[in-house]
PDB file of all heavy atoms in Angstrom:
ATOM      1  N   PRO A  84       3.271  42.806 281.418  1.00  0.00           N
ATOM      2  CA  PRO A  84       4.641  42.759 281.005  1.00  0.00           C
ATOM      3  C   PRO A  84       5.230  44.119 280.497  1.00  0.00           C
ATOM      4  O   PRO A  84       4.459  44.901 279.889  1.00  0.00           O
ATOM      5  CB  PRO A  84       4.702  41.695 279.899  1.00  0.00           C
ATOM      6  CG  PRO A  84       3.269  41.810 279.312  1.00  0.00           C
ATOM      7  CD  PRO A  84       2.334  42.131 280.454  1.00  0.00           C
ATOM      8  N   ARG A  85       6.503  44.290 280.565  1.00  0.00           N
ATOM      9  CA  ARG A  85       7.071  45.415 279.904  1.00  0.00           C
ATOM     10  C   ARG A  85       7.089  45.061 278.342  1.00  0.00           C
ATOM     11  O   ARG A  85       7.253  43.882 278.017  1.00  0.00           O
ATOM     12  CB  ARG A  85       8.524  45.626 280.327  1.00  0.00           C
ATOM     13  CG  ARG A  85       8.558  46.149 281.772  1.00  0.00           C
ATOM     14  CD  ARG A  85       9.818  46.773 282.101  1.00  0.00           C
ATOM     15  NE  ARG A  85      10.140  48.035 281.369  1.00  0.00           N
ATOM     16  CZ  ARG A  85      11.040  48.806 281.607  1.00  0.00           C
ATOM     17  NH1 ARG A  85      11.918  48.637 282.663  1.00  0.00           N
ATOM     18  NH2 ARG A  85      11.235  49.971 280.936  1.00  0.00           N
ATOM     19  N   ARG A  86       6.873  46.011 277.547  1.00  0.00           N
ATOM     20  CA  ARG A  86       6.843  45.775 276.102  1.00  0.00           C
ATOM     21  C   ARG A  86       8.165  45.278 275.563  1.00  0.00           C
ATOM     22  O   ARG A  86       8.216  44.602 274.471  1.00  0.00           O
ATOM     23  CB  ARG A  86       6.284  46.932 275.385  1.00  0.00           C
ATOM     24  CG  ARG A  86       4.777  47.200 275.667  1.00  0.00           C
ATOM     25  CD  ARG A  86       3.901  46.166 275.057  1.00  0.00           C
ATOM     26  NE  ARG A  86       4.012  46.254 273.641  1.00  0.00           N
ATOM     27  CZ  ARG A  86       3.218  46.948 272.895  1.00  0.00           C
ATOM     28  NH1 ARG A  86       2.381  47.756 273.403  1.00  0.00           N
ATOM     29  NH2 ARG A  86       3.385  47.018 271.555  1.00  0.00           N
ATOM     30  N   THR A  87       9.208  45.720 276.178  1.00  0.00           N
ATOM     31  CA  THR A  87      10.557  45.181 275.719  1.00  0.00           C
ATOM     32  C   THR A  87      10.567  43.672 275.774  1.00  0.00           C
ATOM     33  O   THR A  87      11.134  43.108 274.858  1.00  0.00           O
ATOM     34  CB  THR A  87      11.650  45.700 276.639  1.00  0.00           C
ATOM     35  OG1 THR A  87      11.290  45.506 278.029  1.00  0.00           O
ATOM     36  CG2 THR A  87      11.832  47.290 276.520  1.00  0.00           C
ATOM     37  N   ALA A  88       9.918  43.087 276.737  1.00  0.00           N
ATOM     38  CA  ALA A  88       9.956  41.654 276.843  1.00  0.00           C
ATOM     39  C   ALA A  88       8.891  41.065 275.988  1.00  0.00           C
ATOM     40  O   ALA A  88       9.015  39.984 275.333  1.00  0.00           O
ATOM     41  CB  ALA A  88       9.776  41.190 278.341  1.00  0.00           C
ATOM     42  N   LEU A  89       7.674  41.507 276.127  1.00  0.00           N
ATOM     43  CA  LEU A  89       6.476  40.983 275.356  1.00  0.00           C
ATOM     44  C   LEU A  89       6.707  41.012 273.892  1.00  0.00           C
ATOM     45  O   LEU A  89       6.448  39.999 273.249  1.00  0.00           O
ATOM     46  CB  LEU A  89       5.235  41.733 275.755  1.00  0.00           C
ATOM     47  CG  LEU A  89       3.955  41.264 274.997  1.00  0.00           C
ATOM     48  CD1 LEU A  89       3.591  39.831 275.318  1.00  0.00           C
ATOM     49  CD2 LEU A  89       2.755  42.227 275.286  1.00  0.00           C
ATOM     50  N   ASP A  90       7.107  42.140 273.307  1.00  0.00           N
ATOM     51  CA  ASP A  90       7.261  42.247 271.921  1.00  0.00           C
ATOM     52  C   ASP A  90       8.375  41.253 271.399  1.00  0.00           C
ATOM     53  O   ASP A  90       8.274  40.657 270.336  1.00  0.00           O
ATOM     54  CB  ASP A  90       7.608  43.660 271.431  1.00  0.00           C
ATOM     55  CG  ASP A  90       6.392  44.613 271.686  1.00  0.00           C
ATOM     56  OD1 ASP A  90       5.432  44.086 272.299  1.00  0.00           O
ATOM     57  OD2 ASP A  90       6.444  45.702 271.363  1.00  0.00           O
ATOM     58  N   ALA A  91       9.469  41.251 272.143  1.00  0.00           N
ATOM     59  CA  ALA A  91      10.550  40.356 271.787  1.00  0.00           C
ATOM     60  C   ALA A  91      10.120  38.847 271.770  1.00  0.00           C
ATOM     61  O   ALA A  91      10.421  38.093 270.890  1.00  0.00           O
ATOM     62  CB  ALA A  91      11.752  40.448 272.777  1.00  0.00           C
ATOM     63  N   LEU A  92       9.264  38.501 272.780  1.00  0.00           N
ATOM     64  CA  LEU A  92       8.687  37.206 272.823  1.00  0.00           C
ATOM     65  C   LEU A  92       7.841  36.945 271.582  1.00  0.00           C
ATOM     66  O   LEU A  92       7.805  35.783 270.976  1.00  0.00           O
ATOM     67  CB  LEU A  92       7.938  37.107 274.152  1.00  0.00           C
ATOM     68  CG  LEU A  92       7.200  35.747 274.449  1.00  0.00           C
ATOM     69  CD1 LEU A  92       7.054  35.678 276.010  1.00  0.00           C
ATOM     70  CD2 LEU A  92       5.847  35.513 273.811  1.00  0.00           C
ATOM     71  N   LEU A  93       6.942  37.823 271.198  1.00  0.00           N
ATOM     72  CA  LEU A  93       6.063  37.653 270.041  1.00  0.00           C
ATOM     73  C   LEU A  93       6.847  37.604 268.727  1.00  0.00           C
ATOM     74  O   LEU A  93       6.487  36.719 267.865  1.00  0.00           O
ATOM     75  CB  LEU A  93       5.032  38.725 270.002  1.00  0.00           C
ATOM     76  CG  LEU A  93       4.011  38.748 271.156  1.00  0.00           C
ATOM     77  CD1 LEU A  93       3.246  40.063 271.192  1.00  0.00           C
ATOM     78  CD2 LEU A  93       3.058  37.593 271.151  1.00  0.00           C
ATOM     79  N   VAL A  94       7.779  38.366 268.603  1.00  0.00           N
ATOM     80  CA  VAL A  94       8.675  38.306 267.410  1.00  0.00           C
ATOM     81  C   VAL A  94       9.392  36.987 267.365  1.00  0.00           C
ATOM     82  O   VAL A  94       9.408  36.282 266.298  1.00  0.00           O
ATOM     83  CB  VAL A  94       9.732  39.412 267.420  1.00  0.00           C
ATOM     84  CG1 VAL A  94      10.783  39.262 266.378  1.00  0.00           C
ATOM     85  CG2 VAL A  94       8.997  40.768 267.182  1.00  0.00           C
ATOM     86  N   ALA A  95       9.914  36.458 268.418  1.00  0.00           N
ATOM     87  CA  ALA A  95      10.599  35.213 268.449  1.00  0.00           C
ATOM     88  C   ALA A  95       9.651  34.089 267.993  1.00  0.00           C
ATOM     89  O   ALA A  95       9.952  33.171 267.267  1.00  0.00           O
ATOM     90  CB  ALA A  95      11.162  34.890 269.816  1.00  0.00           C
ATOM     91  N   ALA A  96       8.385  34.116 268.586  1.00  0.00           N
ATOM     92  CA  ALA A  96       7.439  33.131 268.247  1.00  0.00           C
ATOM     93  C   ALA A  96       7.098  33.176 266.733  1.00  0.00           C
ATOM     94  O   ALA A  96       6.930  32.137 266.061  1.00  0.00           O
ATOM     95  CB  ALA A  96       6.091  33.311 269.038  1.00  0.00           C
TER      96      ALA A  96
END
Side-chain angles (χ1 to χ4, degrees):
R85 294 197 66 167
R86 290 291 296 274
T87 51
L89 176 64
D90 292 7
L92 182 156
L93 293 169
V94 167

